[in-house]
């Protein structure tokens, strides 16, 4: 497996030249565009990595998978999906248009920014500090990594420049779609997006979801089989934003990308996969990461379809 992963990285590293690192969050523009790494975590706990798989990066939108699981644990799926839908948008991840003209009642899904902000608003805790601590603790549990934390520079960078998300959040507040203090909800959202991890960490999350909610290395159940099924389904339909359909056709694995360059993938009952390559395509997905996943999916016949 390690040889296969090494050759996947070598075969696809040249694609990193065709993309650009995210710069709308200024701190993210400091990442090295030619990084590329992959880690596979099997459900028997075996882990394999190649390339820059141990390098920490900003998980960004991959955190939306984590906050969705925690919001459902805290509130139940009925409550969460009364505030956010389950439908793909076909629009970019930070689009405001569907909120206004298509569905004035709730954001389309928990993977676009508007839906993720509405989901994050449901995370339990009495104070902002308690909420972020709960989210970090949950992330530490499903990665098996006690050192998981968020990067303050990335968080502050997005807090200073995240006016688009601010617009989405205030718009939702004006329509009664989110309760509570908007700035506090945004603060929690910016912190969750700036959580750092490496390919192994996100591959392990993928393995927990692939294993129907049971942590492969401890046997502990963290989410129900039903929630793990919901999460994988939403990843298939919405996880790669307006490239989700193409990704489903060519790769066929539930996955979630982030503008930090990571992709978390979860092959039901087989494995979790973490990929990192911060050079992005025009839709905000890792350009070389997608190629690596495509080759891996073909090689190991991973498509669920
Ligand atoms: O809210 C944002 O714009 C970022 N914190 C996260 C966006 C993101 O990762 C989209 N992914 N492809």
């Amino acid at each position: 497996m390690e040889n296969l992963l090494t050759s996947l990285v070598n075969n696809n590293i040249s694609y990193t030249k065709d993309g650009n690192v995210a710069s709308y969050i200024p701190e993210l523009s400091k990442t090295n565009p030619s990084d590329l790494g992959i880690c596979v975590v099997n459900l028997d706990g075996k882990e394999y990595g190649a390339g820059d798989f141990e390098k920490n990066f900003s998980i960004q939108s991959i955190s939306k998978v984590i906050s969705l699981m925690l919001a459902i644990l805290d509130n139940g799926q009925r409550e969460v999906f009364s505030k956010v839908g389950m439908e793909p948008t076909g629009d970019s991840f930070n689009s405001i248009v569907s909120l206004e003209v298509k569905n004035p009642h709730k954001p389309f899904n928990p993977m676009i920014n508007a839906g993720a902000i509405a989901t994050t608003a449901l995370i339990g805790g009495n104070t902002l500090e308690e909420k972020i601590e709960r989210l970090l603790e949950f992330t530490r549990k499903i990665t098996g990594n006690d050192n998981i934390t968020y990067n303050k520079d990335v968080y502050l960078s997005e807090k200073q420049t995240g006016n688009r998300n601010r617009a989405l959040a205030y718009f939702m507040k004006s329509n009664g779609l989110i309760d509570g203090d908007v700035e506090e909800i945004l603060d929690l959202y910016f912190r969750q997006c700036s959580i750092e991890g490496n390919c192994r960490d996100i591959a392990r999350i993928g393995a927990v979801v692939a294993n129907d909610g049971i942590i492969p290395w401890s046997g502990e159940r963290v989410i129900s089989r039903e929630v793990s099924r919901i999460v994988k389904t939403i990843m298939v339909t919405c996880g790669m934003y307006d490239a989700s359909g193409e990704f489903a056709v060519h790769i066929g694995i539930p996955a979630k990308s982030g503008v930090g360059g990571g992709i978390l993938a979860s092959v039901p009952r087989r494995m979790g996969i973490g990929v990192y390559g911060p050079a992005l395509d025009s839709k905000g997905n890792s350009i070389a990461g997608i190629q690596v996943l495509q080759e891996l999916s073909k090689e190991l016949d991973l498509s669920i379809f």
Side-chain angles (χ1 to χ4, degrees), residues 24-25 60-61 64 93 113 158 165 189 193 241 257-259 284-285:
Y24 77 100
I25 300 171
Q60 292 297 323
S61 284
K64 294 168 180 172
F93 63 85
N113 288 7
E158 186 168 17
N165 285 325
Y189 173 76
C193 287
Y241 305 111
S257 62
V259 290
N285 297 320

Side-chain angles (χ1 to χ4, degrees), residues 3-235:
N3 291 343
L4 170 64
L5 299 184
T6 303
S7 63
L8 293 184
V9 169
N10 293 337
N11 294 350
N12 294 291
I13 190 105
S14 62
Y15 285 103
T16 62
K17 294 196 185 71
D18 300 337
N20 295 300
V21 299
S23 56
Y24 77 100
I25 300 171
E27 253 326 278
L28 294 183
S29 64
K30 295 180 180 166
T31 41
N32 179 2
S34 50
D35 282 349
L36 188 61
I38 179 166
C39 182
V40 165
V41 173
N42 284 340
L43 301 192
D44 61 6
K46 288 208 179 71
E47 303 183 339
Y48 308 90
D52 299 301
F53 77 103
E54 285 177 307
K55 203 163 188 174
N56 263 4
F57 57 88
S58 190
I59 69 169
Q60 292 297 323
S61 284
I62 294 171
S63 68
K64 294 168 180 172
V65 172
I66 307 170
S67 51
L68 174 62
M69 290 192 275
L70 189 57
I72 297 178
L73 279 177
D74 286 349
N75 303 274
Q77 51 161 305
R78 190 188 292 255
E79 170 70 8
V80 171
F81 291 108
S82 74
K83 307 267 190 209
V84 57
M86 301 179 178
E87 301 303 333
T89 62
D91 298 324
S92 63
F93 63 85
N94 57 5
S95 176
I96 202 162
V97 66
S98 63
L99 264 188
E100 188 174 28
V101 298
K102 290 193 203 155
N103 187 345
H105 306 299
K106 52 185 181 185
F108 265 58
N109 68 69
M111 300 290 120
I112 51 168
N113 288 7
I117 293 167
T119 306
T120 293
L122 298 172
I123 289 175
N126 291 321
T127 61
L128 175 63
E129 287 309 321
E130 197 180 319
K131 290 176 188 178
I132 185 67
E133 218 21 73
R134 289 189 66 248
L135 189 70
L136 287 172
E137 268 311 312
F138 184 63
T139 310
R140 288 172 190 138
K141 177 167 265 189
I142 58 179
T143 56
N145 180 353
D146 290 340
N147 296 320
I148 292 283
T149 191
Y150 68 90
N151 180 310
K152 287 212 171 52
D153 294 334
V154 175
Y155 150 61
L156 291 173
S157 183
E158 186 168 17
K159 191 178 162 93
Q160 270 161 23
T161 56
N163 290 322
R164 179 111 185 163
N165 285 325
R166 213 161 260 122
L168 290 170
Y170 277 100
F171 189 82
M172 289 192 287
K173 175 79 179 180
S174 77
N175 279 357
L177 296 174
I178 50 176
D179 300 321
D181 184 281
V182 176
E183 288 301 328
E184 198 179 293
I185 293 165
L186 283 164
D187 206 85
L188 181 59
Y189 173 76
F190 294 147
R191 291 194 215 199
Q192 82 165 55
C193 287
S194 63
I195 290 175
E196 282 193 329
N198 60 26
C199 290
R200 182 190 290 118
D201 297 317
I202 60 170
R204 284 185 181 175
I205 300 174
V208 173
V209 176
N211 201 29
D212 292 333
I214 295 173
I215 297 179
W217 56 92
S218 71
E220 184 187 351
R221 177 174 287 288
V222 275
I223 51 167
S224 67
R225 190 180 171 129
E226 166 83 346
V227 172
S228 128
R229 188 182 60 74
I230 292 171
V231 168
K232 281 182 290 230
T233 313
I234 290 184
M235 283 163 75

Side-chain angles (χ1 to χ4, degrees), residues 235-249:
M235 283 163 75
V236 167
T237 53
C238 313
M240 304 298 286
Y241 305 111
D242 43 336
S244 297
E246 200 178 329
F247 190 88
V249 168

Side-chain angles (χ1 to χ4, degrees), residues 36-39 57 199 202 261-264 273-277 286 289 292-293:
L36 188 61
I38 179 166
C39 182
F57 57 88
C199 290
I202 60 170
I263 304 176
L264 177 163
I273 307 166
V275 180
Y276 169 56
S286 172
V292 165
L293 279 172

